[in-house]
Amino acid sequence: MSDLYEFPADLPDQGDDGHATLQWTCTIVVMATFGLALFNPAAISGWVDDLPPGPTNVRLAAIGESWAETADRVGFGLGHAKLHAAWKTAERIDWKGRQPVEMAATNQPATP
């Protein structure tokens, strides 16, 4: 009786012990990091703000803020800014006759 679930073809021996997989994974991580740093510079500043204070972190904060200002001038942060504005607008919408949401920072009723 033959095994019906036997793979129909023998695969060649790969022989790299996962080196190609590790290289592919590192490439994807580097590309994602570069893309996020390029198009969401506010995330860098937010990350640095969460770090404990120190001389290195002060320099990182200055670099992050400088990059965020440069990216805003060039327009790299425009997509994130539009998405954030749309999200904040959706948060303030008065759904189904409920009372307006009080904003925590200003204690003023939100206006749609």
Side-chain angles (χ1 to χ4, degrees):
M1 184 179 271
S2 70
D3 186 6
L4 296 177
Y5 298 105
E6 185 177 346
F7 198 74
D10 290 332
L11 296 175
D13 184 25
Q14 296 294 327
D16 70 353
D17 295 328
H19 178 71
T21 304
L22 181 61
Q23 184 178 7
W24 178 85
T25 303
C26 289
T27 302
I28 295 301
V29 168
V30 167
M31 288 174 55
T33 302
F34 179 71
L36 287 171
L38 186 64
F39 295 110
N40 191 4
I44 297 171
S45 296
W47 171 70
V48 172
D49 290 343
D50 289 341
L51 295 175
T56 303
N57 296 345
V58 170
R59 282 180 283 189
L60 285 175
I63 291 169
E65 289 173 10
S66 174
W67 171 240
E69 291 171 2
T70 302
D72 284 342
R73 276 192 308 248
V74 174
F76 285 155
L78 190 59
H80 177 264
K82 284 185 178 182
L83 183 63
H84 185 72
W87 173 253
K88 288 300 180 183
T89 300
E91 279 185 327
R92 290 188 299 256
I93 292 176
D94 181 21
W95 297 97
K96 297 182 183 177
R98 296 182 185 158
Q99 297 298 318
V101 176
E102 296 268 340
M103 301 304 288
T106 62
N107 291 330
Q108 298 291 326
T111 56

